[in-house]
Amino acid sequence: MLDFPLLSLLTFLPLIGAFFVLTVRGEPDQVAKNAKHAALFTAFFSLALSLFLFSRFDPANPDFQFVEKYEWFPTLGIAYHMGVDGISLFLILLSSCLTPVAMLAGWRSVTHRVKEFMIAFLILESFMIGTFTALDTVLFYVFFEGVLIPMFFIIGIWGGHNRIYAAFKFFLFTLLGSVLMLLGLLALYVETGTTSIPDLMDASISPLYQYVLFFAFMASFAVKLPMWPLHTWLPDAHVEAPTGGSVILAGVLLKMGAYGFLRFSLPLFSVAVAHFAPLLFWLGVVAIIYTSMIALVQDNMKKLIAYSSVAHMGFCVLGIFSGTVQGISGGLFQLISHGLVSAALFLCVGMLYERTKTLELNQYGGLVTKMPFYAMLLMIFSLGSLALPGTSGFIGEFLSLLGVFQIDRAVAIFGALGTILGAAYMLRFYKKVMFGPLENEKLKNLNDLDVRERAILVPLALLVLWMGVLPSYVLDYVTPSVDKLVAQYEMGLLLRKEPEP
């Protein structure tokens, strides 16, 4: 075991880096340059720490590892409690991987308030990692809600023309759901007398409380995921957010809702989850089919990818609430895969937007002759999004459907239609951008990706292919913790089930 608080260092290092960036002084150009380099150095150092955490993680151990626990409010029994298991490990890696990517995405396009832009991403990284490491409900809530503040400013200050509307819509939607979760956390504390997440998993919660608390927590997690019909804030937020903001929003923030379901709903509210699983299945199916059909007719590239994200999260819903090892493993794998693929697609769209200043599909065509390397990478990410075998997207969707097929075959069959629709809208997107005549005069002088852009996209492409070809490297770390979660879920059904209220 390590003799120093690795998780605390990993969580708060970006905040320390943000403080040092805040102290940068001098001429405006020099301040911007120094702030960017200091922030990027901090982000890469955090990535190195997360890789060190991964190297020291024991994949055979399903329990929480690198645990830190210190008294915070002893009279209330609230502690500073952190730990990591196979469910949270790769989400931490995803957060630390995409933060420097988001910074590099705005390296040239962000020209005003550069220092504040970098500080916002460092603060956001601390809150994201803290959400996935917190083992106390109060600490979890602080981090979970903390991400709203920097993302609100990222959209509202550095976003597009309607950025203020999009920022407030994002903030109010997520805040309203989180108020209900706060009430649920208070009720959970009153019912059990503890805020420790591991202790809550062993607590006995009456079925009536489970129904109430399940919906209180779902109000927050469903908005953050987002589940249909609470998804309407997402397309607006993505369209107006800067490229780096879209990368983090799609790559990490959406995953927090699914993580909440895994960490709280399944182990704590087993009876309620089993009772409402059919409803959640069909909400997931509607999300997959409905938003895929909307994506199929979108002409705004960012909106297309945003609606595709809602569809892909629908597969996660099916997998998670199947309550099976295959389904939950597939849902978690889909979270990681979608984090890489959606981030990469937003990066690709952002790189085009920097060159042409338009997001409309009908303004493109024939780019394969001008940007062949870009065309190859965009093809990889598009195929990953439509779940082609050999890419990470296939593994996540296949396992999710396999898990739900064991519970409800009709749901699995309708969910599988989403893969067909996904192929339709992604191939349409790729065809309109890359093929056809090169008619737009603005496109005739475009250059292919530069060194910075290749350095951003190539590692993501390799990860998408690596996870698709060798998924066991991820599943071996995930499966023991998923096995334990499924055992807790099934035990909860046996021990807590009473006549329905």
Side-chain angles (χ1 to χ4, degrees):
M1 294 296 294
L2 298 174
D3 57 356
F4 67 93
L6 178 59
L7 292 183
S8 292
L9 180 61
L10 181 60
T11 300
F12 295 107
L13 177 64
L15 275 181
I16 297 171
F19 172 77
F20 280 104
V21 173
L22 184 64
T23 62
V24 173
R25 295 289 186 271
E27 296 296 324
D29 291 344
Q30 193 63 36
V31 167
K33 179 180 178 181
N34 291 341
K36 287 193 290 188
H37 285 91
L40 188 63
F41 174 79
T42 303
F44 274 121
F45 192 47
S46 296
L47 175 58
L49 274 179
S50 66
L51 292 174
F52 177 72
L53 173 75
F54 176 73
S55 70
R56 299 297 298 269
F57 186 87
D58 180 9
N61 183 2
D63 299 322
F64 292 107
Q65 303 178 40
F66 308 100
V67 174
E68 303 171 26
K69 189 172 184 179
Y70 311 100
E71 294 296 335
W72 192 7
F73 296 105
T75 56
L76 298 176
I78 299 173
Y80 173 86
H81 194 184
M82 306 185 89
V84 61
D85 64 355
I87 293 172
S88 57
L89 176 65
F90 286 96
L91 296 174
I92 295 171
L93 286 169
L94 192 64
S95 302
S96 58
C97 173
L98 292 183
T99 299
V101 167
M103 291 177 177
L104 287 170
W107 201 256
R108 294 176 182 170
S109 58
V110 175
T111 56
H112 71 288
R113 296 186 178 182
V114 175
K115 182 171 74 170
E116 291 81 359
F117 182 78
M118 295 298 168
I119 289 173
F121 274 103
L122 289 174
I123 296 173
L124 185 58
E125 182 180 16
S126 275
F127 288 144
M128 291 188 300
I129 295 175
T131 299
F132 300 130
T133 57
L135 293 184
D136 184 272
T137 57
V138 175
L139 193 63
F140 172 84
Y141 185 81
V142 170
F143 285 127
F144 187 81
E145 292 308 301
V147 300
L148 296 180
I149 301 170
M151 183 54 70
F152 173 80
F153 286 114
I154 288 170
I155 298 173
I157 296 175
W158 295 280
H161 180 68
N162 292 321
R163 59 186 180 274
I164 302 300
Y165 168 78
F168 273 98
K169 188 175 182 180
F170 158 74
F171 190 87
L172 293 175
F173 260 71
T174 51
L175 183 63
L176 180 61
S178 297
V179 169
L180 295 176
M181 185 177 76
L182 178 60
L183 296 175
L185 288 173
L186 293 174
L188 193 61
Y189 175 72
V190 171
E191 173 75 2
T192 63
T194 182
T195 59
S196 171
I197 294 176
D199 292 344
L200 286 171
M201 293 177 182
D202 297 325
S204 178
I205 304 174
S206 68
L208 177 60
Y209 258 77
Q210 286 196 35
Y211 287 109
V212 175
L213 292 173
F214 173 76
F215 278 105
F217 279 79
M218 181 180 171
S220 180
F221 300 149
V223 170
K224 191 87 81 175
L225 189 58
M227 288 177 63
W228 182 89
L230 304 173
H231 67 286
T232 57
W233 62 269
L234 185 64
D236 292 319
H238 271 310
V239 169
E240 300 303 329
T243 300
S246 291
V247 166
I248 296 299
L249 185 59
V252 183
L253 263 59
L254 303 189
K255 313 304 177 283
M256 290 182 177
Y259 176 76
F261 283 129
L262 290 169
R263 186 61 78 212
F264 289 93
S265 299
L266 262 70
L268 302 185
F269 316 130
S270 307
V271 175
V273 168
H275 182 78
F276 292 109
L279 170 64
L280 296 167
F281 285 157
W282 288 108
L283 286 177
V285 168
V286 171
I288 293 170
I289 297 177
Y290 175 70
T291 56
S292 292
M293 294 177 69
I294 294 178
L296 191 58
V297 297
Q298 282 299 319
D299 286 326
N300 184 294
M301 293 189 290
K302 272 197 166 186
K303 277 193 174 182
L304 188 153
I305 301 170
Y307 281 113
S308 77
S309 294
V310 180
H312 286 111
M313 291 302 98
F315 286 102
C316 296
V317 170
L318 298 187
I320 289 171
F321 289 106
S322 70
T324 63
V325 173
Q326 294 92 339
I328 296 174
S329 297
L332 187 54
F333 198 98
Q334 176 74 348
L335 292 179
I336 303 163
S337 169
H338 178 263
L340 296 172
V341 172
S342 64
L345 287 172
F346 278 115
L347 286 166
C348 289
V349 169
M351 291 170 185
L352 280 185
Y353 181 77
E354 288 180 15
R355 289 164 164 80
T356 64
K357 303 305 178 185
T358 180
L359 293 171
E360 297 301 315
L361 272 175
N362 56 19
Q363 297 296 314
Y364 291 94
L367 281 186
V368 69
T369 59
K370 305 298 296 183
M371 305 175 70
F373 194 81
Y374 174 88
M376 179 188 70
L377 292 175
L378 183 61
M379 178 185 68
I380 293 173
F381 300 130
S382 299
L383 294 178
S385 180
L386 64 84
L388 184 78
T391 66
S392 58
F394 172 76
I395 305 298
E397 291 188 11
F398 177 78
L399 288 176
S400 297
L401 292 173
L402 179 62
V404 78
F405 187 82
Q406 301 173 43
I407 307 301
D408 192 324
R409 295 187 178 184
V411 169
I413 292 170
F414 279 101
L417 294 176
T419 61
I420 301 172
L421 292 171
Y425 63 71
M426 287 311 302
L427 292 176
R428 170 181 174 267
F429 161 70
Y430 191 82
K431 174 181 177 293
K432 280 184 169 290
V433 173
M434 287 299 152
F435 299 119
L438 188 64
E439 296 177 345
N440 191 335
E441 293 294 329
K442 294 181 180 179
L443 306 182
K444 294 183 178 179
N445 296 320
L446 294 187
N447 296 318
D448 209 344
L449 301 180
D450 58 28
V451 174
R452 175 185 63 91
E453 293 168 331
R454 295 185 186 209
I456 295 172
L457 291 179
V458 169
L460 296 178
L462 293 176
L463 285 172
V464 170
L465 295 175
W466 173 68
M467 288 177 60
V469 175
L470 298 171
S472 60
Y473 281 93
V474 174
L475 294 174
D476 287 347
Y477 283 80
V478 168
T479 302
S481 294
V482 171
D483 286 336
K484 181 180 178 181
L485 175 61
V486 171
Q488 291 171 335
Y489 171 69
E490 294 176 346
M491 185 63 67
L493 291 178
L494 291 175
L495 296 182
R496 302 172 187 170
K497 191 166 187 179
E498 299 172 5
E500 295 178 7

